Amino acid sequence: MKRVIGFAAVALALSCGSVQAQWSDGVIKIGVMNDMSGTYADLSGPGSVLAARMAVEDFGAEKKGMKVEILGADHQNKPDVGSNVVRTWIDVDKVDVIVDVPTSSVALAVNEIVREKNKVFLISGAAASNLTGDKCSPNTVHWTYDTWSLANGTGNAIVKTGGKNWFFLTADYAFGHALERDTAAVVEKNGGKVVGKVRHPFPGTDFSSFLLQAQASKAQIIGLANAGSDTINSIKQASEFGIVKGGQNLAALLAFITDVHALGLPTAQGLIMTEAWYWDLNDNNREFAKKFAPQNKGVHPTMVHAGVYSAVMHYLKALEALKSDADGKAVVEKMKSIPTEDKLFGKGEIRADGRHIHPMYLFEVKKPAESKGAWDYYKLRATIPANEAFRPLKDGGCPLVKS
Amino acid sequence: MIEIFGIPSQALFGQLLLGLINGSFYALLSLGLAVIFGLLNIINFTHGAQYMMGAFAAFFLLNYLGLNYWLALIVAPAIVAATGAIIERLFLRHLYHLDHLYGLLLTFGLALIIQGLFRNQFGSSGIPYPIPEALRGGQNLGFMFLPNYRAWVIVLSLTVCIATWFVIERTRLGAYLRAATENPTLVRAFGINVPRMITLTYAFGVGLAALAGVMAAPIYSVNPLMGADLIIVVFAVVVIGGMGSIMGAIVTGFMLGIVEGLTKVFFPEASNTVIFVIMVIVLLIRPAGLFGRTA
């Protein structure tokens, strides 16, 4: 069952016909593919389509004579479904750029198709750092965050405050494995030890059995290398089984503000997490959230949504400079050659391996008394400067990087 | 410490107990399915959605009417059962004389619609529901920390399962019900309102699903997709137990909970497929299921 949702296309009418010729088939088609209905739907989902649309509007594509159309589709977190959608999009619908694609297993599959078809792939939702490492592609830009940056942020902070013995609760697919691997490396580099791990099927519902195994390991820190409702249920059930009261601590290695919202502050308070973007960090972000939330059922933008906005904005800038969207590799090269700048991610750059570089932030979830209401959830603990936030270029093993 | 297959025996007891807790949800849900299939011959694919509606009903009752968990345990299933009765009157009634497949398609469609509506309204991350005050905390059993709430889940589920089995297999009312499925015309000749009895039976089965939903709300977040994740496993449980067998559904539910729990220790990656492997084996050896009667 392939559910391709034909989202209301944002057809921005073209005033001047003669400019049209520079775009392949006369229109720039952006395909936003993610989990529209499952466990990752709130943190990406329809909100990412909205973010892409806002980027196109704010860029002023219409005034600049660029006709842009946005499509949305549900990959159901399945690589085969995602691959089929992307092939149809590129071959039949003439889509020029694929955006978002959370769920690393799907993103890795799409990465290869986009490279083969020479289109552009802008990743916001997926996490596996392999996408700019051994699997890097001249057609791919990895925008928002990755497993290395999460491990570097949260893992570092916890090991340095004394959490030396770790047990991993890992989602059994590409993303979980990558996050576990990158975090274990950080832990061991800082003199910590991994005492055990268990890999749970994705998506899961009941984590009590795995949590009990984590408890028996006597590790100080239980690292949750999962995401979305898996993380929510793990944290909830850990509190039920008295794991934190028993002296062990949880590290949510990837958590989004929508997860904190679903957990509620009484359960989530005190969690430490690394994010690339938070809506209440500055005026620009607040203004974006104020515009975004009412159109997204009140759900505030996550870093994935912000990343989609920012990535699409930069893509359009590159097209404007290049005056063509036909050659995906050339477009990505252009994106790498101009510095990035927009209101949500500020100034940054895209490295040769496709990694977008910007600061990351270490947040702590507020206590219920500190919060002014729904969505006021984070306290900033530390800012990780852009040059330290991501894996050094030489360590990734990306063949595009010439040594 | 004694070790069994490299796992300390104490840890193993803990896992067995957890399996039993998950088994209580399987048992309660598959019991509702078995009642509906056994007495109405309808394969109720809406069951997962109705389980989810039970959890949401508990959430609404708490947040909009201030009714606590204990009242929700009674009121929420009643509300969802009432919607079940409406579904039976409006739709299912017209399908009894047709092939099973039509009932399956209808209820599957309804499940998709209901889940879609809830997801559209509440997103997919879920909403928190607190554990009732009286059941917070837990007991240290020596080999594991057992949250009070989970102990309550086992007790309540076992009670409801046994009571249901008793009513259907051992009382006069149950005898009427079973007779009505065998030969509705004859039973009607005795002056019993068979259509109403069937409506109530469907509503009861749906109520069981909703009850499981209320019980699940404090453990898992109240989530529009919570039923979709579970329903396929529960169907496997019913098939393994034997379609329509009440005792089969109960025993198999608890048993598979334990098997799944053990898989989570010895081969965690396979824990979501082990039930289907068992289903295949059982179907090969006993096509009617473990407790099913061959027609």
Side-chain angles (χ1 to χ4, degrees):
Chain A
M1 180 175 50
K2 192 167 64 182
R3 277 184 290 169
V4 179
I5 308 158
F7 263 81
V10 186
L12 299 173
L14 186 68
S15 46
C16 169
S18 60
V19 197
Q20 203 171 344
Q22 60 199 349
W23 312 120
S24 53
D25 64 286
V27 52
I28 301 157
K29 277 199 183 169
I30 301 176
V32 180
M33 181 171 77
N34 54 32
D35 177 1
M36 294 277 178
S37 53
T39 166
Y40 299 155
D42 281 358
L43 63 92
S44 58
S48 291
V49 179
L50 172 63
R53 195 156 56 211
M54 286 169 73
V56 172
E57 278 163 22
D58 289 356
F59 179 73
E62 192 180 2
K63 278 191 209 121
K64 292 176 176 158
M66 295 159 88
K67 187 177 171 189
V68 183
E69 202 176 293
I70 298 174
L71 304 172
D74 188 352
H75 63 36
Q76 301 170 47
N77 298 322
K78 292 174 186 149
D80 52 332
V81 176
S83 304
N84 276 336
V85 170
V86 169
R87 282 185 192 282
T88 316
W89 266 358
I90 294 176
D91 293 342
V92 181
D93 300 318
K94 309 288 175 217
V95 167
D96 299 297
V97 53
I98 312 291
V99 183
D100 200 6
V101 194
T103 320
S104 298
S105 48
V106 187
L108 285 162
V110 172
N111 193 41
E112 295 311 314
I113 300 172
V114 173
R115 188 209 305 248
E116 175 198 319
K117 308 268 183 194
N118 194 20
K119 297 293 170 186
V120 180
F121 185 21
L122 307 176
I123 304 167
S124 183
S129 58
N130 306 57
L131 289 160
T132 54
D134 54 346
K135 298 277 190 275
C136 74
S137 146
N139 298 74
T140 297
V141 175
H142 198 175
W143 200 269
T144 313
Y145 69 106
D146 61 24
T147 49
W148 195 95
S149 61
L150 297 171
N152 177 54
T154 315
N156 240 337
I158 290 172
V159 181
K160 282 186 181 149
T161 49
K164 297 281 185 196
N165 291 321
W166 285 61
F167 185 96
F168 285 104
L169 185 61
T170 306
D172 191 20
Y173 75 105
F175 151 71
H177 296 185
L179 188 51
E180 180 197 297
R181 174 198 67 210
D182 288 348
T183 313
V186 169
V187 169
E188 277 157 11
K189 195 180 124 206
N190 287 296
K193 211 171 81 190
V194 177
V195 296
K197 64 182 174 202
V198 58
R199 290 178 169 170
H200 69 76
F202 163 78
T205 325
D206 191 72
F207 294 88
S208 49
S209 168
F210 308 124
L211 287 165
L212 223 61
Q213 295 177 42
Q215 202 168 28
S217 76
K218 306 261 189 311
Q220 291 168 286
I221 305 291
I222 300 169
L224 304 177
N226 51 20
S229 57
D230 287 347
T231 306
I232 295 171
N233 274 326
S234 308
I235 295 174
K236 222 174 145 153
Q237 290 164 22
S239 119
E240 194 194 343
F241 278 85
I243 285 188
V244 178
K245 275 193 196 131
Q248 289 174 300
N249 279 307
L250 294 178
L253 297 167
L254 174 55
F256 298 90
I257 191 161
T258 42
D259 301 334
V260 175
H261 186 71
L263 277 168
L265 288 183
T267 316
Q269 58 178 314
L271 276 179
I272 291 171
M273 54 181 77
T274 306
E275 290 229 45
W277 190 88
Y278 174 47
W279 71 271
D280 204 11
L281 213 52
N282 58 46
D283 285 339
N284 278 338
N285 293 5
R286 277 188 284 273
E287 190 199 340
F288 177 75
K290 214 172 143 191
K291 218 171 125 191
F292 180 96
Q295 299 180 66
N296 196 36
K297 299 193 170 66
V299 175
H300 279 49
T302 62
M303 63 168 162
V304 172
H305 298 140
V308 166
Y309 176 94
S310 175
V312 168
M313 184 68 92
H314 191 66
Y315 171 76
L316 293 174
K317 272 185 203 166
L319 288 195
E320 191 186 21
L322 203 63
K323 308 227 179 300
S324 162
D325 66 350
D327 180 356
K329 222 179 269 181
V331 174
V332 169
E333 230 159 76
K334 194 80 202 167
M335 289 180 74
K336 286 176 183 169
S337 73
I338 25 184
T340 63
E341 185 176 3
D342 66 86
K343 62 179 188 182
L344 298 188
F345 276 74
K347 288 183 181 170
E349 55 156 333
I350 300 167
R351 276 189 332 207
D353 58 358
R355 178 69 254 167
H356 175 233
I357 302 296
H358 52 82
M360 293 290 285
Y361 305 95
L362 190 67
F363 293 111
E364 184 182 327
V365 177
K366 289 182 173 177
K367 295 191 177 68
E370 294 168 325
S371 164
K372 289 195 281 287
W375 303 104
D376 176 24
Y377 295 148
Y378 291 171
K379 283 188 291 204
L380 182 63
R381 289 247 310 219
T383 301
I384 306 158
N387 58 358
E388 292 171 20
F390 293 93
R391 181 175 56 203
L393 194 57
K394 58 178 174 38
D395 295 351
C398 165
L400 295 174
V401 180
K402 291 171 195 81
S403 48
Chain B
M1 208 186 303
I2 312 158
E3 292 198 355
I4 303 168
F5 301 122
I7 307 278
S9 58
Q10 293 197 320
L12 207 58
F13 289 140
Q15 299 294 349
L16 284 175
L17 196 57
L18 285 177
L20 215 53
I21 297 168
N22 284 338
S24 5
F25 284 107
Y26 293 157
L28 212 50
L29 283 166
S30 54
L31 175 65
L33 276 180
V35 167
I36 293 171
F37 182 79
L39 303 175
L40 278 72
N41 273 332
I42 289 281
I43 300 172
N44 184 32
F45 244 100
T46 328
H47 219 65
Q50 282 151 342
Y51 159 79
M52 176 268 290
M53 285 165 78
F56 266 95
F59 168 79
F60 292 136
L61 290 172
L62 181 72
N63 287 283
Y64 297 107
L65 297 176
L67 291 184
N68 65 19
Y69 173 83
W70 305 104
L71 289 167
L73 269 183
I74 300 161
V75 180
I79 295 172
V80 181
T83 65
I86 295 169
I87 290 174
E88 200 276 340
R89 289 252 150 167
L90 286 180
F91 306 111
L92 288 175
R93 171 145 302 180
H94 308 290
L95 301 177
Y96 292 141
H97 60 283
L98 295 171
D99 190 75
H100 289 333
L101 201 58
Y102 292 91
L104 189 149
L105 285 175
L106 174 83
T107 51
F108 183 58
L110 283 173
L112 290 181
I113 292 171
I114 295 170
Q115 271 160 11
L117 288 173
F118 274 82
R119 194 179 60 225
N120 195 41
Q121 198 57 40
F122 300 100
S124 66
S125 301
I127 311 167
Y129 185 93
I131 294 179
E133 203 74 52
L135 292 175
R136 285 191 197 155
Q139 308 299 326
N140 196 341
L141 302 181
F143 56 90
M144 77 174 286
F145 177 88
L146 177 66
N148 289 340
Y149 187 81
R150 300 240 174 184
W152 159 251
V153 164
I154 300 189
V155 173
L156 182 62
S157 160
L158 260 181
T159 317
V160 172
C161 285
I162 292 170
T164 307
W165 171 82
F166 186 80
V167 168
I168 291 178
E169 300 286 344
R170 290 286 181 271
T171 64
R172 183 166 285 266
L173 175 68
Y176 286 153
L177 276 172
R178 282 175 290 133
T181 38
E182 290 290 321
N183 192 337
T185 328
L186 194 64
V187 176
R188 205 177 285 178
F190 285 113
I192 291 166
N193 186 342
V194 173
R196 190 174 68 196
M197 202 156 77
I198 289 186
T199 307
L200 289 177
T201 309
Y202 183 75
F204 176 74
V206 170
L208 283 178
L211 177 68
V214 181
M215 283 161 65
I219 306 187
Y220 314 121
S221 37
V222 179
N223 186 321
L225 303 175
M226 62 195 285
D229 298 339
L230 206 56
I231 189 69
I232 301 174
V233 176
V234 173
F235 263 101
V237 172
V238 174
V239 171
I240 294 169
M243 293 294 286
S245 160
I246 309 277
M247 195 38 111
I250 299 172
V251 174
T252 321
F254 281 104
M255 202 176 70
L256 287 180
I258 291 174
V259 171
E260 197 189 47
L262 290 179
T263 318
K264 281 177 177 168
V265 183
F266 294 111
F267 190 10
E269 289 88 342
S271 57
N272 61 344
T273 40
V274 63
I275 288 185
F276 301 102
V277 174
I278 295 176
M279 183 176 87
V280 169
I281 296 170
V282 167
L283 285 180
L284 283 175
I285 299 169
R286 284 184 66 102
L290 291 178
F291 295 81
R293 282 161 293 213
T294 31

